[in-house]
Each structure stands twice: as structure tokens, then as C-alpha cells.
Amino acid sequence: MTDYQIKETYKNWMSRPLPADLKAELESIAGDSEAVSDRFYRDLAFGTGGLRGVIGAGTNRMNIYTVGKATQGYADYLREQTAVEGSPAVEESPSVEESLSGEGLPSVVIAYDSRIKSEEFARRAAEVFAANGIRVHIYPELMPTPSLSFAIRHLGCDGGVVITASHNPAKYNGYKVYGPDGCQITTEAAKAIQGRIGALDLFEDVKRVDFDRAMKAGRISWVGEDVVDAYIRAVSTQRFCEDDEIDKNVSITYTPLNGAGLKCVLRALRENGFSNIHVVPEQEKPDGHFPTCPYPNPEIREAMELGIQYAKKNGSDLLLATDPDCDRVGIAVRDDRGEYVLLTGNEVGLLLFEYICRRRIACGRMPENPVLMKTIVTIDHVKKIADRYGVQVIDVLTGFKFIGEQIGLLEKKGELDRYIFGFEESYGYLSGTFVRDKDGVNASLLICEMFAYYKTQGKGLLEVLNDLYDRYGYCLNTQHSCQFEGAAGFERMQQIMSRLRQAPPKEAAGRKVVSVEDYQTQEKRFSDGGMEAIQGLPRSNVLKFWLEGGCSFVVRPSGTEPKLKLYFSVSGEGRKQVGELEQQLSAELMKYLGI
């Protein structure tokens, strides 16, 4: 937007009868052109991850108006996709009365987590869907994101929405959109929905009906406890040990990080025999302010510190933590000195994959031509384990939705049973196909069973991991995130990606760049001038550089946060040499990019 358009949009908002908190926020920034611009210089971006942004007033913020506009656009898209003979055309949306009295067109499920305004945003979305003749099933309490994916398929719905910003700081919230397959929407669907959203005025074009009125009319209904029961039963099918094979009385300390995981994680563990579970009291109840962990991300130690203190107090060898919407899991394990070591997402993925392969073979449950799915930024070292067990590895773009999409393709071919595991480096895992997204409940049960299995054999997870490194070699995978806030930051990220394409580095850390994979142009360019097409993956603003010796790094803008993400994969003879090489490589790249 131009400066004039930004000012006019601000004036338009100020003229509206806004809720008191939004009105006060806008009044407080009157005359502050930078603050006004940050809130209004663009519409909050909608993509395959839906919406995500800071909570507040403005078109570039998460509020009831941006949520309502996104829902109206998604509703228009759903009605178009599910149009049947005799139904009103999209351009002839039903009146509120018609939408409440008729059968409606599609149906959706809505879930939400513990974040600030999550329930309010969920109810606003339900009101907009209902006003558009769409039947709404909404959870009566906060629930994990994977339960939303499950419910869409279980209830036979045409889509769904979960209100969450995953593991972002407290000031954020978000709006994830799912398709009828239980996956986050594809790039094509996101573009179509964005087109609908872009044609709307968020004050004038959004239909809405009162929540209680729509509930009484049967247009909105609560998701029943029977659906939660079915989900827990599905999670429980992922057990690989009988009760008498392992000691399930192992001490486990668990924290939901004030999020949505408590109910389902505890049910899954307790109903499968794990009863010696200690919950971190300060982080047990839902609280979107996350008072004890400002960054509620189990990937970082600060979020795990309180849990580690309680694990020591409880004498637990395992600390388990789920992020606020319970689709990611982080763990810490006690070493032989009594200290707690955080395992990375890649390390847990290696352990789980080895465990699943080993136990499937032992139980006679390994299918013919088994498949592992992972993202391109996830540890390539796992292919060595896959080769040992005869498992095919499918690489997909960053984002678990692409793993879910591949599961759907297997299903269409009647080969669903080939899938045995999928994971990504950012602490997302899935061993079943009843959910088409990363599942913190499924992963929590699997991790605890794996932990108990090895402990019964007298081994800790660190010992098992070191055994894997001894067998397959050592590989270090790290991620670095660079924050770029506001309009200037967004432009800077675009400039960095453009520079990498136009003038890519020829070497890094003394190693020659042998090839560059550009997922935007879908080309792999070699240092000798050769080129080949990248097949089977959608276009994405991602670059992967391969170096001599099998090392690599990936650069991509985040699809949900104002960050540029850099992923490094470094292999070598030992931890010290590999660690030094990673530090040199990351420092050189940061300097090259001017970060």
C-alpha cells in the first residue's frame, strides 16, 4: 500500500464501532506513522499455513475481522467446491435465514488451542461459516491440532480450521486451514482461497450469524466425546509392545507448556499402561500468556528448564514436552552424570525410525515395500537406516502437509499400509495414517514406549543414539533463524533470496558447492554447467546447496513467521570435527548474506 492508502485504511478502521481493546490500540498509535504502517501496510498473508501474525488491530494483525474475512473466503471456496445441482450459486450466497433453515452445503470442524483469543476467533469463524450455509462441528474445549485432522476424516467433513500459532511467542495467533483429506491445504487451494479473500471487504462483505442462535438452529454443534474416544483408540493402535514385554512403571515427567496437550496425551499414556506420570504444575493448565516459558517451543532449552527441574525432583529419566497445539514433541533424557540432555528433532526421528523398523519386524508387522517420508531439510542420514531395513525414502518440501499429501497418494493407490513413519526436523512425527499431520499425541505414546523398551533392556536413549552414530557415522543438523520484522524486513528477505539465486556462493567452509537445487524454478544446477529438472514437488521459494563430502545447507523464508531459516547438515569423522565445520559453514554463510 502507499502511505496515502495506509492512512485512509487507518481512518476507516477508526470510524468503525470496534471492540474496546482494538479501538484503544489504534488510538494509542495516532500520529505514529511507523506503528500505523506496520499494522496496515498489507493484509495478513494467507498461504498453505493459513494465517499467522501478531494479535491486534489492523489488516496485518490477527483479530476478529481478519479471521472473519479469511473464513468468508474459505466459505466461498468450500461452497464452490461442493456445489451440487439445485444449490445456490456461489455468487448467490444464502441469506442468514436460508442458511439456518436449509441443509447447507459443506461441513467443517473447528478446533482451537490455549492462545490468547483462540476461543473467540474459533467462535467468530463458526459464526461466519454458519451464516454461509455451512454446518459447523466445533470442539467445546481446547484440543490438539492432530485431533482436528482426525475429526475431519472421522466425521466426513469437507474441511476444517484450527486456531493456533503453534510454538510462537504469546503475542501471536494463527488460523490453519485443512482440506477434506485431513491435510493442511495445498498450494493450489491456498491460492484459490486467497483469491476469494482478496476480493472481500473485511467490514462489509463478511456474513455472520450469532453463535447461540446458530447452535439452537442446528447449524453449529459440539464435537462429541465419542470423537475424542475414537482418536485415542486410533493412537493406541501404534503400540509395538505388549504390556508384559516392558516395564511401564517408568517415571515420566510431562509438560504441555500451558497448551492443549494435557487431556489427550495423559489419556493416551494412561490407557496404554503408563501410570507413573508427573505433570509440571505451573505449566499444566491452559494459559496463552505462557508465564513460565515466553517461547513455548520444546526445541529450545529455556522452554524446557522448568520441566527439567521437576524431572530431577521426580527422579524421571525422561522429560516429555508438547508445544501449545500439541503437534510437536520435545524430550530431554538423563545421562550417566545425572544431567538432562535435550535431543533434537532429527535425533528423536532417527531413534523412532530405528525402533519402529525393529519392532515391526519382531511383531511381524513390517509391510512389503515400506515407506518413510521426510522433508528436504530433515536429516539425510536416516537413509542409511532405511537402506538397512529395505525402506523406501520419499523426500518432500518443508511442511508436514506434504507428508500428509503423500500418504493420501498411497491411499489412492491402495498402498496405505506401506507407510510406516514420517518426520521432520522441527519435532514433528507420525507413525499412523489416521491423522494427516504431525501428531504430538501419537509421538508421545511412541516415545514413551520406546524409552521403556530400551530401559527394560538396560539401555538409555543416549546410548542407543550413540550406537546408531557408531554404526552409520556422525551427522550434525542445525537450524539458524534470522528475524525480519515489518515491511522492511519482508523486503530484505526477498533481496537475500534473489542474491542467492543470481550470485550463489561457489564454495563454503573450504568445500566446493557441487550443485544447487532451486525449488522455485524446479531446477538442479551443477557446478559444471549441467542442469536437471526436479520432479514431483510443487514450486517453493527454497534453495538447497550441496557441498563436497555430502554436506548441505538450505535457505528458505518461513511460511508462517517473519524469519529466514537456514538449515545445515554436516557429516564427518567425529563430533568435534563436525561441530567445528558447522560453525565455520554457518559463520561464512551469515557473512555472505550480510546477516
Side-chain angles (χ1 to χ4, degrees):
M1 287 188 184
T2 65
D3 289 344
Y4 174 78
Q5 289 172 320
I6 291 171
K7 290 177 182 177
E8 289 301 304
T9 306
Y10 171 74
K11 289 178 183 178
N12 181 32
W13 276 63
M14 286 294 289
S15 70
R16 302 283 178 169
L18 304 176
D21 60 332
L22 298 185
K23 177 69 85 172
E25 179 182 344
L26 292 182
E27 289 174 345
S28 72
I29 61 171
D32 185 340
S33 59
E34 185 175 340
V36 171
S37 177
D38 185 44
R39 286 163 175 78
F40 292 99
Y41 80 93
R42 66 169 186 168
D43 288 344
L44 197 61
F46 184 93
T48 55
L51 301 174
R52 189 174 298 185
V54 175
I55 302 164
T59 58
N60 188 36
R61 291 290 188 270
M62 283 292 297
N63 52 64
I64 55 174
Y65 301 106
T66 53
V67 166
K69 181 179 178 179
T71 306
Q72 183 65 56
Y74 184 31
D76 289 343
Y77 170 82
L78 284 174
R79 295 183 62 244
E80 179 185 66
Q81 294 297 305
T82 57
V84 294
E85 187 177 349
S87 298
V90 175
E91 291 77 10
E92 301 168 356
S93 296
S95 67
V96 170
E97 293 302 326
E98 290 172 330
S99 70
L100 292 178
S101 60
E103 283 301 312
L105 290 171
S107 60
V108 297
V109 188
I110 299 176
Y112 59 93
D113 69 2
S114 64
R115 287 185 173 273
I116 298 167
K117 294 185 178 290
S118 278
E119 184 175 6
E120 179 183 347
F121 293 163
R123 290 172 71 96
R124 175 56 61 101
E127 292 173 338
V128 175
F129 280 129
N132 282 274
I134 294 173
R135 180 168 173 75
V136 178
H137 305 270
I138 184 170
Y139 280 101
E141 60 182 328
L142 75 171
M143 290 293 289
T145 287
S147 67
L148 182 280
S149 175
F150 175 83
I152 290 171
R153 290 165 50 79
H154 185 76
L155 296 173
C157 293
D158 300 284
V161 169
V162 60
I163 306 298
T164 178
S166 190
H167 55 282
N168 287 115
K171 67 179 182 178
Y172 286 89
N173 211 327
Y175 179 103
K176 286 185 182 180
V177 179
Y178 288 73
D181 56 358
C183 296
Q184 287 190 56
I185 52 173
T186 63
T187 303
E188 293 74 19
K191 287 180 179 177
I193 296 169
Q194 175 63 63
R196 287 288 183 185
I197 294 171
L200 299 171
D201 181 284
L202 85 176
F203 289 116
E204 304 297 337
D205 298 332
V206 178
K207 296 179 175 60
R208 178 188 166 211
V209 64
D210 177 73
F211 186 92
D212 292 334
R213 180 181 167 206
M215 180 75 77
K216 289 178 181 178
R219 183 59 59 221
I220 299 175
S221 59
W222 299 120
V223 174
E225 193 66 21
D226 60 310
V227 178
V228 181
D229 294 342
Y231 169 59
I232 298 299
R233 286 196 300 271
V235 169
S236 299
T237 65
Q238 297 307 297
R239 289 174 49 178
F240 292 104
C241 290
E242 298 299 326
D243 290 341
D244 59 356
E245 290 184 89
I246 58 176
D247 177 11
K248 292 187 175 181
N249 194 42
V250 289
S251 176
I252 299 165
T253 294
Y254 168 60
T255 171
L257 296 178
N258 299 119
L262 184 71
K263 176 179 178 177
C264 288
V265 169
L266 289 186
R267 276 198 61 182
L269 293 179
R270 288 170 175 165
E271 291 179 21
N272 285 283
F274 294 93
S275 56
N276 192 6
I277 305 167
H278 311 270
V279 181
V280 177
E282 293 92 336
Q283 297 173 344
E284 179 176 5
K285 301 301 182 184
D287 188 341
H289 293 91
F290 309 116
T292 61
C293 51
Y295 295 91
N297 183 352
E299 297 181 51
I300 60 176
R301 191 172 185 92
E302 288 80 359
M304 304 285 276
E305 281 293 353
L306 187 60
I308 289 173
Q309 293 176 26
Y310 275 95
K312 288 181 178 179
K313 179 181 177 181
N314 299 328
S316 301
D317 289 328
L318 175 67
L319 168 65
L320 186 75
T322 52
D323 71 341
D325 69 324
C326 193
D327 61 354
R328 302 169 194 253
V329 182
I331 68 171
V333 293
R334 187 161 54 178
D335 64 16
D336 53 13
R337 300 169 302 161
E339 298 301 319
Y340 287 80
V341 178
L342 268 63
L343 299 189
T344 69
N346 280 313
E347 290 172 332
V348 174
L350 289 177
L351 287 166
L352 285 174
F353 181 54
E354 166 73 20
Y355 174 73
I356 289 169
C357 289
R358 178 181 296 193
R359 292 306 299 162
R360 276 186 172 272
I361 290 172
C363 300
R365 292 167 56 183
M366 182 67 91
E368 290 188 21
N369 304 315
V371 172
L372 163 76
M373 298 176 185
K374 73 174 194 67
T375 65
I376 60 172
V377 299
T378 298
I379 189 167
D380 290 315
H381 224 50
V382 74
K383 293 179 181 178
K384 295 185 177 181
I385 300 177
D387 289 342
R388 178 190 176 195
Y389 289 105
V391 178
Q392 178 188 354
V393 178
I394 296 178
D395 280 296
V396 300
L397 290 179
T398 308
F400 218 93
K401 57 183 171 287
F402 295 112
I403 292 178
E405 185 178 46
Q406 288 294 321
I407 295 173
L409 293 176
L410 286 179
E411 187 172 32
K412 288 180 180 177
K413 293 189 292 185
E415 301 175 358
L416 195 59
D417 64 336
R418 292 181 59 201
Y419 175 87
I420 62 170
F421 191 50
F423 78 107
E424 61 183 3
E425 46 73 40
S426 55
Y427 294 57
Y429 320 98
L430 178 67
S431 68
T433 59
F434 49 89
V435 164
R436 301 298 164 87
D437 203 351
K438 51 186 173 285
D439 188 346
V441 183
N442 167 204
S444 293
L445 175 60
L446 204 54
I447 288 168
C448 290
E449 184 185 76
M450 173 179 68
F451 165 71
Y453 170 80
Y454 287 120
K455 188 173 177 62
T456 301
Q457 295 184 340
K459 291 184 177 182
L461 292 184
L462 287 175
E463 182 181 352
V464 178
L465 182 62
N466 287 328
D467 287 345
L468 293 179
Y469 286 142
D470 289 341
R471 180 181 299 169
Y472 300 110
Y474 186 69
C475 182
L476 175 64
N477 282 63
T478 61
Q479 181 199 126
H480 300 257
S481 294
C482 305
Q483 197 88 7
F484 292 91
E485 296 282 2
F490 179 80
E491 178 61 27
R492 178 87 188 285
M493 281 195 291
Q494 304 312 307
Q495 292 172 355
I496 288 173
M497 295 302 294
S498 178
R499 183 188 176 197
L500 279 172
R501 285 190 168 90
Q502 295 172 9
K506 290 182 169 44
E507 68 171 39
R511 299 193 178 202
K512 180 181 177 182
V513 175
V514 295
S515 66
V516 181
E517 296 173 358
D518 188 339
Y519 292 91
Q520 186 91 302
T521 62
Q522 296 188 318
E523 296 173 336
K524 183 173 184 177
R525 299 185 294 273
F526 296 89
S527 58
D528 62 6
M531 185 180 298
E532 65 182 38
I534 296 175
Q535 304 285 348
L537 294 176
R539 296 182 187 275
S540 183
N541 190 15
V542 180
L543 292 166
K544 184 167 186 175
F545 295 78
W546 286 96
L547 311 179
E548 290 175 323
C551 299
S552 66
F553 64 87
V554 176
V555 184
R556 73 175 185 93
S558 171
T560 55
E561 305 169 83
K563 292 180 179 179
L564 191 70
K565 294 192 173 184
L566 294 81
Y567 305 81
F568 299 90
S569 180
V570 183
S571 300
E573 298 176 357
R575 292 175 184 266
K576 184 175 185 297
Q577 184 252 350
V578 167
E580 291 173 351
L581 181 59
E582 189 278 337
Q583 289 181 6
Q584 183 182 356
L585 182 58
S586 59
E588 285 189 13
L589 183 61
M590 295 287 192
K591 183 178 179 180
Y592 180 84
L593 298 178
I595 298 175

